Amino acid sequence: MSLEHVDDYPEIPVSLASTRTMLKTGAWRSVRPVLTERTAPCTTGCPAGLGVPAYLDDITAGRLDRAFLSLTARNPFPRITGRVCPHLCEDGCNLPIRTGDAAVSIRSIERWLGDQTADVAHPQPNPPTGKHVAVVGSGPAGLSAAYYLRRSGHEVTVYERRAEAGGVLRYGIPDYRLPAPIVASEVARLRNMGIDIRTGVALGADVTLADLEATHAAVFIATGAWQERPLEIDGAELLESGLAFLESVNQGEARVPGPHCAVIGAGNTAMDVARVLRRLGADVTVLYRRTAAEMPAIREEYEEALGDGVTFEWLTNPTAIDKNPAGLTVTVETMRLGEPDESGRRRPIPTGETRDVRFDGVFAATGETADLSPFPPFMQTRAGNLDVRPDGATRDPLVFVGGDLATGPATVIDAIVAGRRAARAIDHQLGFDARWPMDELSEPVAAAETNPTYITRRARTDSPPVATVDPFDEETRTLTTGEVLGEIERCMSCGHCNACRTCFVFCPDGAITWDEGPVIDHEFCKGCGICVVECPGHAMILINEREVSHA
Amino acid sequence: MRERLLLTGNHAAAYGAMLSRAEVISAYPITPQTMIVELLSELTASGRLDAEFITVESEHSAMAACVGASAAGARAYTATSGQGLALMHEMLHWAVGARLPIVLTNVSRAMAPGWSIWSDQSDILSQRDVGWMMVFAETVQEAQDFVLWMYRVSEQVYLPGMVGMDAFILSHTAEPLIVHDQEAADAYLPPFEPIYDLDPAEPRAYGGLVNRDHYFELRYKIYESMERAGSLLREAGEEFGEVLGRRYTPLEGYLLDDAEYVVVSAGAMTSNVRQAVRDLRDRGVKVGLLRVIAFRPFPITEVRSLLGGRRKVAVLDRNMSPGHSGIFAEEVRSALFGQPDAPPVYGYVVGIGGRDVRVETVVDVVDDLTVREEPEMALYVGVKGLPIGPLRRDSQITRLQPLEVQP
């Protein structure tokens, strides 16, 4: 525009072009805002290190395929963990610290994503490597290892001793928490990747370790911990195994000894046994020698058991079991709490006070151990445990192990991580790149760095309980899409830009333009840092200009 | 619905803002203005007025908030007085340069120190050269109506407008007030269309650096708009009569036709001048009144035609520009200068710091005018111990002490 005549002028002193083109005020800057990808506390909380804010962002943007891919790069089974994971991710959430609001319901979102992508095929494996790897056991560790080994391009055969694949997912976790058809469909999806899953083949009985080593480039063993730890009390032979009971129920062969049942122990298996018995119509009393504060069960499962009407007898230690004409008599001793033991929990100390209680059946669920009989003695330590490195390697260079077999009873996600870690180690062992992410996570975004001012504040939405006719139908439902999107709005997206536009709105100079995400015009940005302060998840940081120019 | 109420000038001003449908009100309390924004905050809180009421920590911020609101396209209103108006000064300039049609009611009070809350025109006239339109209300009705009148013209010429009214004499005095029907007020004052939309999609600098090669032209357009405002004030005053039943003009004459002597006055003291003129007419003195309503833009042509050929003109100033004269006198003198029929102009400084300007005071002024032979820049009326007259000459005041030079 020419300004040769007064009539050419605007009425007010306004820049005739966008100010960015005129004023190179970036030269004033001593610090610059930079968009970064930082670790969220939910990610560090997750044993698998899942980048939660990133896949939540993908969901909001409608990129479900990408969300599925980024999730399955670390955990192939969101449908399963979305139902049974103890969601340690949520424990790390900055939202409660910053606002007092409940944590974002990440597990419910993961479940929704899992269900939405239930029919999405897993990615094509890499080109064949010519290597054949055996996986023994088809629980979460075995299936996870099989998945990653297959994606690496190896030929994979899974050996499962039972009739159906899934291990603890199929035979341990009750249907109302994890329906069998979901496990079956996940197994089917793995078969579609070209994974050969052979059921009815038991290690030791049908095939030996030596056989497998002779025909495969590597063997991964994850046969779980299925042996009930023996209870050394009089009449222990009258006890029923909690794990075996769950297994029979999951095969549709439930047999309840009578209307009054007891469960000894207060771990996660004990909770499942107690709840299943309740659902089959029995009165259930959990006998535990310590108190609720020391119980190993995940809090949520304990609360669900309470909700089902399970009775808990604390400081109650069974010392003997005997038959009576109508059923069983359990002699219990009242305990008191002493000093903490090596696990950090207060030790139960006998008081000498005993009483007799009558039940129709008593189930033991005081812990499970692994069957190590298929392993030759050289692979075991003097104490009788397998000698295992963190990546699953053993004293036999061809053999890797993982899951409950190696660690004792742990969570599904721990087993999935063990499978991925072993797949990576096997890749490496076979001369390939270690392909599956096991990177060290950096320090997560601290609560004090976040800014909850502009996020949507509303009550947390969890997968809600539903009324069912069959007590073994799934007890909760998957959130609706609307509920999920609403729940994601609560997330501050720590360390990940989810294109919320807060920086764009607050930049006082209009130095931020938008191209799917913020684009900082460094010719113009004066480095005031307002974007960094306003960014809800602190996905922007200020760096010194000197660091940039010297970089 | 049109209502007739008994209200103070302050409450009338608030009604003026309400009838104007002000959308953003930002103000800081100061005596004797506080009642205006008190009532507006009540009207806003009750929902009777659909506006954002922004409380601030100073008058500077109050005007800054109005500037922002107006730039964003809202009709903005504020009210202040005395020291508050002085504190706003920088932002008053901003409103002009940014061409923002903000309307402000200033309840005129004397400047401190000594601390004073009483009527005096020094505060508003100190803002003479900023570039705001200025009108002076005489009645409670005008305190209300002039707010609408200012918006009507401001939004045509994109210059802000100030309504001056006198502390207490008008601000706290109740008179019958016709509160116009809102629909009629709407018909008079259509919604505000900003000169430029602020558009986040296309960020631009507003009010940024303008070099020597452009500033003059931008100012020239302001001067031109202020000139245009003169005729628009007249047209909008006529429209006010047609739509709302009360006609307003930049100047108002009373018993002027055959007047040999004319008293020029502005603001609420004019009512007493009117009475004095009547009384003096009864005595056979051929005197009339010229009331200045619009001070900026100053109605130079009409002043010339209405005062040309008179025998003498007395200008009453409730203000004083030290080292010169009362400011209205200065303006009138300047308008008449060089006119072949220009009458002599006698400046009278009256009522400084809220001292009463009674009917008798005006009669004394006219008596002095009729006998005084030489026009004076400023004649002081009612200073204790002194007759009406100019400042004491050198011989009458203490001289500078000679310096004691050390050998």
Side-chain angles (χ1 to χ4, degrees):
Chain A
M1 181 188 271
S2 87
L3 296 175
E4 294 304 315
H5 189 280
V6 64
D7 291 342
D8 300 334
Y9 278 74
E11 297 305 311
I12 65 176
V14 55
S15 60
L16 297 173
S18 174
T19 45
R20 270 192 296 276
T21 62
M22 319 266 288
L23 304 170
K24 307 293 186 190
T25 48
W28 305 357
R29 193 178 58 232
S30 61
V31 289
R32 70 163 65 186
V34 182
L35 194 63
T36 59
E37 189 73 28
R38 301 177 61 202
T39 306
C42 45
T43 299
T44 47
C46 172
L50 274 174
V52 176
Y55 83 71
L56 264 47
D57 179 23
D58 283 335
I59 290 173
T60 308
R63 302 180 294 250
L64 292 197
D65 286 0
R66 197 165 111 171
F68 181 71
L69 268 184
S70 84
L71 213 156
T72 50
R74 287 174 176 273
N75 167 13
F77 309 118
R79 284 192 91 188
I80 293 170
T81 46
R83 288 171 162 81
V84 301
C85 193
H87 54 73
L88 298 172
C89 51
E90 296 178 19
D91 295 350
C93 184
N94 276 331
L95 199 58
I97 308 169
R98 203 72 175 87
T99 65
D101 293 354
V104 176
S105 182
I106 299 169
R107 187 179 65 183
S108 298
I109 299 167
E110 183 189 22
R111 171 169 165 181
W112 175 89
L113 177 64
D115 285 2
Q116 288 288 315
T117 52
D119 298 327
V120 174
H122 285 306
Q124 282 295 313
N126 284 351
T129 59
K131 305 287 183 184
H132 188 184
V133 181
V135 172
V136 184
S138 65
L143 292 183
S144 165
Y147 171 86
Y148 291 108
L149 289 164
R150 181 68 193 132
R151 277 189 65 177
S152 292
H154 308 303
E155 197 182 327
V156 179
T157 303
V158 179
Y159 299 93
E160 166 58 48
R161 72 179 162 97
R162 293 193 180 84
E164 286 179 45
V168 75
L169 306 172
R170 172 67 186 85
Y171 293 97
I173 301 172
D175 265 23
Y176 55 82
R177 288 178 56 207
L178 179 60
I182 288 178
V183 180
S185 85
E186 290 305 306
V187 169
R189 193 149 45 159
L190 296 185
R191 284 197 159 113
N192 288 340
M193 292 174 79
I195 297 172
D196 178 20
I197 300 176
R198 298 184 193 173
T199 54
V201 183
L203 183 66
D206 304 314
V207 64
T208 66
L209 191 51
D211 297 339
L212 293 176
E213 289 189 73
T215 49
H216 296 84
V219 183
F220 175 66
I221 305 177
T223 44
W226 288 90
Q227 291 183 335
E228 205 70 57
R229 192 191 305 277
L231 210 57
E232 287 166 5
I233 58 174
D234 289 345
E237 70 283 357
L238 298 171
L239 291 169
E240 303 199 33
S241 157
L243 213 49
F245 174 68
L246 291 178
E247 188 172 343
S248 66
V249 168
N250 277 9
Q251 292 177 92
E253 297 160 7
R255 195 195 66 82
V256 180
H260 303 290
C261 294
V263 177
I264 302 172
N268 295 323
T269 305
M271 295 306 112
D272 281 340
V273 172
R275 297 187 68 199
V276 166
L277 285 165
R278 277 298 291 153
R279 278 157 195 266
L280 292 170
D283 282 345
V284 184
T285 305
V286 168
L287 306 175
Y288 182 49
R289 57 194 182 132
R290 310 195 214 210
T291 72
E294 294 83 27
M295 67 190 290
I298 293 162
R299 193 86 199 158
E300 190 176 32
E301 299 198 24
Y302 164 56
E303 281 164 8
E304 283 162 355
L306 281 180
D308 282 355
V310 173
T311 306
F312 286 80
E313 293 273 1
W314 307 119
L315 296 170
T316 303
N317 191 34
T319 53
I321 301 179
D322 206 354
K323 262 193 177 153
N324 67 49
L328 299 174
T329 302
V330 182
T331 305
V332 297
E333 181 170 11
T334 302
M335 311 297 275
R336 64 178 175 83
L337 289 179
E339 293 303 305
D341 63 13
E342 61 280 0
S343 73
R345 299 174 300 159
R346 293 182 68 185
R347 187 191 307 273
I349 297 171
T351 61
E353 246 176 79
T354 60
R355 62 199 156 94
D356 288 349
V357 205
R358 286 168 172 251
F359 295 104
D360 298 313
V362 180
F363 294 81
T366 53
E368 298 83 29
T369 56
D371 174 13
L372 301 186
S373 60
F375 298 96
F378 84 92
M379 292 180 73
Q380 302 183 21
T381 63
R382 211 170 292 175
N385 300 317
L386 275 180
D387 185 14
V388 187
R389 285 209 323 240
D391 63 1
T394 65
R395 288 181 186 173
D396 182 336
L398 291 189
V399 178
F400 293 76
V401 298
D404 287 1
L405 167 69
T407 59
T411 63
V412 169
I413 190 68
D414 286 324
I416 289 171
V417 173
R420 169 156 56 91
R421 190 182 286 132
R424 178 185 158 93
I426 291 168
D427 260 349
H428 193 71
Q429 173 93 344
L430 299 182
F432 298 92
D433 291 341
R435 283 177 255 221
W436 301 106
M438 289 315 288
D439 41 305
E440 288 289 309
L441 296 175
S442 56
E443 194 63 22
V445 175
E449 294 179 285
T450 60
N451 179 4
T453 312
Y454 314 109
I455 56 157
T456 306
R457 301 281 298 278
R458 62 162 76 90
R460 167 186 164 106
T461 306
D462 245 324
S463 296
V466 285
T468 54
V469 179
D470 183 332
F472 286 88
D473 280 351
E474 191 165 18
E475 62 185 338
T476 55
R477 68 159 170 85
T478 305
L479 296 184
T480 63
T481 303
E483 285 168 336
V484 160
L485 294 177
E487 187 62 18
I488 293 174
E489 280 182 7
R490 300 178 62 234
C491 174
M492 295 190 284
S493 196
C494 299
H496 172 80
C497 173
N498 64 351
C500 73
R501 289 182 184 249
T502 303
C503 55
F504 177 73
V505 169
F506 278 91
C507 175
D509 279 335
I512 295 179
T513 53
W514 204 257
D515 180 16
E516 291 180 3
V519 178
I520 301 165
D521 182 349
H522 284 114
E523 294 265 275
F524 190 56
C525 165
K526 302 178 187 66
C528 70
I530 288 176
C531 52
V532 171
V533 172
E534 300 298 350
C535 176
H538 212 261
M540 286 176 140
I541 56 169
L542 277 182
I543 59 172
N544 200 302
E545 277 299 325
R546 266 179 296 190
E547 292 170 31
V548 180
S549 52
H550 292 177
Chain B
M1 191 191 66
R2 195 166 179 256
E3 282 184 293
R4 194 174 158 85
L5 303 172
L6 186 66
L7 284 182
T8 62
N10 273 343
H11 284 175
Y15 273 75
M18 183 186 73
L19 289 173
S20 304
R21 293 193 188 276
E23 294 165 294
V24 172
I25 296 155
S26 182
Y28 189 80
I30 184 169
T31 305
Q33 164 278 131
T34 305
M35 293 156 68
I36 299 178
V37 288
E38 274 178 354
L39 181 57
L40 282 170
S41 72
E42 286 169 23
L43 291 169
T44 308
S46 70
R48 207 173 149 194
L49 173 59
D50 183 14
E52 285 294 322
F53 191 99
I54 304 174
T55 54
V56 283
E57 87 305 337
S58 76
E59 287 83 357
H60 187 280
S61 299
M63 184 48 62
C66 287
V67 162
S70 186
R75 186 171 283 159
Y77 176 82
T78 189
T80 189
S81 176
Q83 312 295 123
L85 186 67
L87 182 54
M88 256 183 206
H89 181 72
E90 186 202 0
M91 286 289 112
L92 295 178
H93 275 290
W94 199 280
V96 173
R99 309 299 301 268
L100 302 171
I102 300 161
V103 171
L104 176 159
T105 296
N106 186 68
V107 182
S108 284
R109 82 178 214 195
M111 297 300 294
W115 204 251
S116 171
I117 54 172
W118 309 105
S119 187
D120 189 304
Q121 298 159 335
S122 301
D123 60 351
I124 185 165
L125 292 175
S126 293
Q127 307 298 341
R128 182 185 66 175
D129 301 333
V130 169
W132 282 58
M133 293 191 293
M134 288 184 186
V135 292
F136 284 77
E138 181 188 340
T139 64
V140 164
Q141 187 69 47
E142 290 176 353
Q144 172 192 270
D145 290 357
F146 283 9
V147 174
L148 289 131
W149 190 27
M150 277 291 94
Y151 275 123
R152 181 78 183 108
V153 181
S154 286
E155 292 173 7
Q156 307 278 317
V157 295
Y158 296 101
L159 287 173
M162 208 180 280
V163 179
M165 60 190 260
D166 306 71
F168 299 104
I169 302 164
L170 189 48
S171 68
H172 285 60
T173 302
E175 287 179 352
L177 169 72
I178 291 165
V179 179
H180 302 293
D181 174 62
Q182 184 65 59
E183 273 185 34
D186 292 346
Y188 178 70
L189 185 59
F192 167 43
E193 305 276 351
I195 191 165
Y196 292 118
D197 272 327
L198 295 187
D199 182 4
E202 202 181 350
R204 287 170 183 272
Y206 287 74
L209 182 70
V210 175
N211 282 331
R212 288 168 294 181
D213 46 354
H214 300 310
Y215 187 88
F216 199 168
E217 283 71 21
L218 290 165
R219 284 287 143 174
Y220 182 87
K221 289 168 97 84
I222 292 173
Y223 312 149
E224 220 172 38
S225 296
M226 189 59 107
E227 276 304 300
R228 197 174 148 237
S231 55
L232 285 176
L233 270 174
R234 268 182 295 281
E235 285 173 34
E238 293 290 338
E239 278 177 357
F240 209 106
E242 289 159 22
V243 180
L244 295 165
R246 307 188 74 87
R247 189 176 153 269
Y248 294 112
T249 51
L251 289 170
E252 181 194 341
Y254 179 66
L255 302 180
L256 266 189
D257 289 352
D258 61 341
E260 295 176 2
Y261 303 101
V262 178
V263 181
V264 178
S265 165
M269 68 180 171
T270 309
S271 300
N272 282 356
V273 177
R274 204 177 269 110
Q275 182 61 45
V277 164
R278 264 202 298 271
D279 292 354
L280 285 160
R281 283 274 175 174
D282 290 346
R283 268 170 44 189
V285 183
K286 286 194 158 179
V287 61
L289 159 69
L290 179 65
R291 177 184 163 214
V292 177
I293 296 172
F295 177 70
R296 279 292 178 274
F298 196 73
I300 294 171
T301 314
E302 292 100 317
V303 166
R304 282 175 184 163
S305 75
L306 290 170
L307 293 183
R310 311 288 176 181
R311 201 153 147 197
K312 286 179 179 175
V313 171
V315 183
L316 301 187
D317 272 297
R318 197 168 208 152
N319 67 83
M320 174 63 199
S321 173
H324 198 278
S325 71
I327 291 167
F328 282 101
E330 202 181 306
E331 299 275 328
V332 169
R333 226 181 265 122
S334 155
L336 294 173
F337 180 78
Q339 298 297 304
D341 56 351
V345 176
Y346 294 69
Y348 288 89
V349 175
V350 298
I352 295 296
R355 186 160 299 174
D356 283 344
V357 179
R358 298 168 180 275
V359 176
E360 301 81 35
T361 316
V362 182
V363 169
D364 287 349
V365 165
V366 175
D367 285 347
D368 183 83
L369 175 75
T370 52
V371 299
R372 193 171 286 275
E373 290 175 2
E374 288 299 318
E376 293 280 355
M377 293 291 278
L379 294 148
Y380 297 83
V381 181
V383 178
K384 285 176 188 165
L386 296 180
I388 297 178
L391 290 174
R392 290 177 287 169
R393 304 296 178 212
D394 284 1
S395 59
Q396 294 164 277
I397 56 174
T398 314
R399 304 186 65 84
L400 201 63
Q401 290 288 324
L403 288 174
E404 284 180 29
V405 181
Q406 297 291 334

